[in-house]
Structures are given as C-alpha cells and as structure tokens.
C-alpha cells in the first residue's frame, strides 16, 4: 500500500500498478473501502489484461486520514481528482460503485479530457437528497437544530452532519444536463434496496453521450458482488475497451 499526501498534509491510501492505457480507477461507495470484493476482483481482471489499475480509500474510509463525520462529498471529490492528477497518467476508465458513481461523474466533469469512459455500479449520484428525506423525523430535526445526529442506516451506525447534506447539495449533478460524450455503461441490480434503479435511468436521460448502455440484473442486489455480477462487470469492461 502507498500513501498520497494531499495539500493539507493528510494521507490518502491507495494501491496502484502500472500497465497499459487506458487505466482503470475504482471508486468505492459510502462507508466502504478499496478492499471490497469488486475492487479486488476488478484488479485481478485488469492485471490479466495488463491494464494500469488504481484503487484508493477516500478520506474517512479505510486506511486514509480522517473521521467519516468530518468529511463530505466535496472532500471525496477532491481525493479522486488528487489521485487522478498525481498518480495516474493518460486516459482512464472510471468505475464508480454507489457513491463512487457520483464521484466519477463529478471527476468526469472536472477532468473531461482525462476520462475515456465511465462505468457505474449501482451509481448513486445526488444520493444525499434522497437520504435526508428517508431519515427519521427525530434525526432530521437534530441535524437541523444541532448540526449533527447519529442513526442506524443500511445496517451500520452513521453520524451525519448538516454540512454533509449542504455539501451534497452543492455537488448535485443531475439537476442539469451532464455534458460527456464518451462511452458510459451503467449496471444496476433490480433487487437493490439501497439505490433505486430509476437513478440509473435518470443518468441516461441527463447525459449528452450517445453511447450509453444500461444493464439491469434481475436477481442482483446493491452489492453486485456475486460471481455472475462480476462476470457481467468484466464483460462490460471488455465492451468499453472495444468502444474507445
């Protein structure tokens, strides 16, 4: 494992190996890290194909600096752009899982010339909008009044801050058209209880790219980590490599 030191002198943990271009950058989801099944499985696939591959932990996750509740989508966007600018070279395929799907869209907008293609795995852009509405009224009130509240969500204990939702709003990406004209593949399980498959449809509607595919998986859930799911992800990467 290596560490990138950002301009705040904070560590971002990452694993990178050099290979052919375009490289692949994997972006994990909320409360996840770079050691998940998909991140490691896609790394094995990239190695077989001889492609450059990078996975990393956003701050407040995994082995990177910081506490989750002190950070927001704006910080994680900066982490991804720092990694893109300082560790990778040449064109990159971004693969974003859940929240990582939001981050990949933000990075594609900020670094358009560097991004060769996008792949969303249960992509969850703008999720803070829906998340706040789903929180119990008590928690909403506490966040509004005290700026912070604890809640159990998706089987985990979270501490959410007012700033988390405010910064989320500043980074909403689907309020306007998403100007991106390269290949996009979106994979979504229809048994996903965490992120609605309608979000994937919304990305399709908002993007200017003419080369967009959606792959709905009838029996898959949010994790997209079964053997079959992983085969479909590999197939989609092959597909993207043929399109760029």
């Amino acid at each position: 494992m290596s560490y990138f030191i950002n301009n705040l002198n904070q560590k971002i943990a990452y694993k990178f190996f050099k290979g052919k271009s375009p490289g692949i950058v994997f972006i994990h989801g909320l409360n996840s890290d770079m050691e998940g099944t998909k991140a490691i499985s896609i790394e094995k696939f990239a190695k077989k194909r001889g492609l450059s591959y990078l996975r990393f932990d956003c701050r407040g996750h995994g082995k990177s600096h910081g506490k989750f509740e002190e950070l927001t989508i704006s910080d994680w966007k900066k982490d991804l752009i720092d990694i893109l600018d300082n560790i990778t070279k040449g064109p990159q395929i971004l693969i974003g899982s859940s929240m990582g799907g939001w981050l990949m869209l933000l990075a594609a907008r900020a670094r358009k010339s560097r991004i060769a293609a996008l792949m969303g795995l249960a992509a969850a852009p703008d999720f803070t909008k829906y998340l706040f509405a789903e929180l119990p009224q008590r928690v909403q009130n506490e966040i509004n009044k005290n700026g912070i509240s604890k809640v159990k969500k998706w089987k985990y204990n979270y501490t959410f801050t007012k700033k988390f939702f405010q910064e989320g709003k500043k980074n909403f990406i689907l309020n306007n058209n998403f100007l991106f004209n390269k290949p996009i593949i979106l994979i979504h399980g229809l048994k996903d209880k965490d992120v609605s498959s309608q979000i994937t449809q919304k990305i399709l509607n908002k993007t200017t790219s003419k080369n967009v595919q959606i792959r709905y998986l009838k029996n898959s859930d949010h994790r997209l980590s079964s053997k079959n799911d992983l085969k479909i992800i590999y197939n989609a990467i092959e597909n993207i490599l043929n399109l760029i």
Side-chain angles (χ1 to χ4, degrees), residues 28 39 42 46 76 180 200 202:
H28 66 73
I42 296 168
W76 301 326
F180 186 80
T200 289
K202 196 169 181 186

Side-chain angles (χ1 to χ4, degrees), residues 153-196:
K153 182 82 180 149
W154 306 303
K155 298 177 188 165
Y156 296 101
N157 293 315
Y158 283 93
T159 301
F160 287 127
T161 64
K162 195 173 199 173
K163 190 180 179 190
F164 178 82
F165 292 99
Q166 288 170 336
E167 291 299 314
K169 193 174 183 181
K170 284 183 198 170
N171 287 285
F172 286 169
I173 206 151
L174 298 182
N175 289 347
N176 303 299
N177 282 342
F178 177 63
L179 306 174
F180 186 80
N181 296 313
K182 294 166 191 173
I184 302 174
I185 296 181
L186 304 166
I187 301 174
H188 210 118
L190 291 179
K191 291 192 172 170
D192 189 332
K193 291 187 171 70
D194 301 326
V195 177
S196 166

